[in-house]
Amino acid sequence: MESKKTKTPASVPATEVWDAPVDQLVLDAENPRLASGAGGETPEDLLRVLWTEMAVDEVAFSIAANGFFREEPLLVIPADKVKGKYIVVEGNRRLAAVLLLRDAKLREKLKVTGLPAIDSKRRVDLNTIPVFRYPDRESLWTFCGFRHINGAKPWDAFSKARYVATVHEQYNQSLDEIARKIGDRHTTVKRLYRGYKVLEQAEGKAGFSKEDLFRNRFYFSHLYTAVDQTEFQKFLGIDAEKSLKPNPVPQSKLPELKELMIFLYGQRSTGKEPLVRTQNPDLNILREVIGKPAALSAIRSGLSLERAYEIGTGDKRRFRDSLTRAKEELQQAKGTVTKGYSGEDDLYETIADIELYASKIKEEMEDQRKKRK
């Protein structure tokens, strides 16, 4: 019987697991998660991104203790540029863990600490890793899409969007077909793609740069959620279906596109903080504001998002909202007064003030009711 160490790619059918020598495997510079990370595309750059951002240590501890599970082979394709090498399309974290466990000098160079030591037997066992070979990336897109967009191992939103764009534009798969094959029933594929195309246009045509964010982290979900909503679409001059293409925002609306990106992410070079700190409630408030001219003028003039919302809402709605919230808060106070109040003077003075305000508001409301009659 042919031993594990002497098998070659040619001697193993593509449908069977092949034990690939580790030195023939390379990290994937086109992996959506790696490509979205900061840094270059050299093997050491990719390994550094994996170590610093993707919890390789968790995988490394498991492999050090248990070995590499043959039930979870890596998925690889032949490298076009280097004969005899294979690109790991699926399983880069596991390959990174093996590389770091086997090579003390590499750990020292990348300043990787805290990994367990492995004995000589484990090191020999890790000279090869089980893999499945595929002819090219296109043959793997359905599996990767299901696993990382709609499945058990989700990527971050930007990586998902980048992958959808790759499959749609390079493999000529329609967005509907992508959604069908990965089981997407919530238009996630279209929302991701629209957001990705708007981002590309913002960077390429509208003068926006992810390098100039007010804060360090780029929350892509803010953008793809916003451009899925009617108010933001009207602001940018796009609609739901016609925006599913490159450069969806009309030329005349590029200033608004840059403005929206600054609303969402701020601009460090000009000292502008983002209006949206969290999707809930800030993005919802911005959606209300951006559709009302008076409120939009308010944030353009430098007023806060909350103040602009008040201006856009109008006195009638603000009055109704304030009374409703006050009632809800007082109901909660009533339910906790027995155990929550211990005779403090300041709290008694507060409820006396509330009683006074409530009495005056009621008097003014009664006057208004008489006038209407």
Side-chain angles (χ1 to χ4, degrees), residues 146-339:
F146 175 77
R147 184 175 174 84
H148 297 300
I149 295 177
N150 219 34
K153 300 285 186 180
W155 286 325
D156 62 274
F158 179 74
S159 299
K160 291 178 182 180
R162 181 188 179 101
Y163 193 73
V164 167
T166 297
V167 173
H168 179 53
E169 295 169 4
Q170 295 185 18
Y171 307 157
N172 297 315
Q173 299 288 332
S174 71
L175 296 176
D176 287 331
E177 182 67 2
I178 296 171
R180 186 184 71 81
K181 286 195 172 181
I182 68 171
D184 170 28
R185 293 179 293 175
H186 304 287
T187 67
T188 302
V189 164
K190 289 184 177 180
R191 293 169 61 212
L192 288 168
Y193 183 74
R194 181 188 298 110
Y196 190 75
K197 292 291 103 178
V198 170
L199 174 61
E200 277 191 337
Q201 190 175 13
E203 291 186 297
K205 306 284 187 180
F208 170 75
S209 172
K210 291 200 294 291
E211 304 302 317
D212 196 24
L213 302 178
F214 190 86
R215 298 189 173 94
N216 291 330
R217 187 169 178 181
F218 175 67
Y219 293 94
F220 176 68
S221 60
H222 291 357
L223 177 61
Y224 89 79
T225 300
V227 297
D228 186 51
Q229 297 172 340
T230 303
E231 292 83 355
F232 290 106
Q233 290 177 357
K234 288 181 178 179
F235 182 70
L236 296 177
I238 63 177
D239 63 28
E241 288 302 316
K242 292 180 181 179
S243 59
L244 299 172
K245 61 181 182 181
N247 297 318
V249 179
Q251 181 76 20
S252 61
K253 287 287 188 176
L254 291 182
E256 282 81 359
L257 174 56
K258 183 175 182 180
E259 191 173 35
L260 174 61
M261 301 304 286
I262 294 174
F263 290 162
L264 296 177
Y265 303 111
Q267 191 173 48
R268 187 172 62 248
S269 61
T270 57
K272 293 181 179 178
E273 295 190 34
L275 297 178
V276 175
R277 293 155 295 189
T278 59
Q279 280 203 35
N280 185 20
D282 294 343
L283 189 61
N284 290 328
I285 295 174
L286 180 59
R287 176 170 55 85
E288 294 275 349
V289 165
I290 213 162
K292 296 181 173 65
L296 181 58
S297 295
I299 56 173
R300 282 172 169 166
S301 68
L303 295 181
S304 69
L305 183 62
E306 291 75 13
R307 179 60 184 139
Y309 175 76
E310 290 176 357
I311 291 171
T313 298
D315 289 343
K316 284 185 176 293
R317 182 169 170 181
R318 283 208 304 279
F319 181 71
R320 178 179 292 276
D321 290 349
S322 297
L323 276 188
T324 301
R325 286 196 303 271
K327 179 182 176 182
E328 291 174 354
E329 294 295 334
L330 287 171
Q331 284 176 332
Q332 290 191 32
K334 175 65 172 66
T336 57
V337 64
T338 303
K339 295 183 178 180

Side-chain angles (χ1 to χ4, degrees), residues 63-86:
I63 293 174
N66 306 300
F68 200 101
F69 292 117
R70 291 188 62 78
E71 295 80 4
E72 294 187 354
L74 307 183
L75 307 185
V76 304
I77 61 174
D80 294 331
K81 297 180 181 179
V82 184
K83 187 176 180 180
K85 296 286 188 179
Y86 292 85

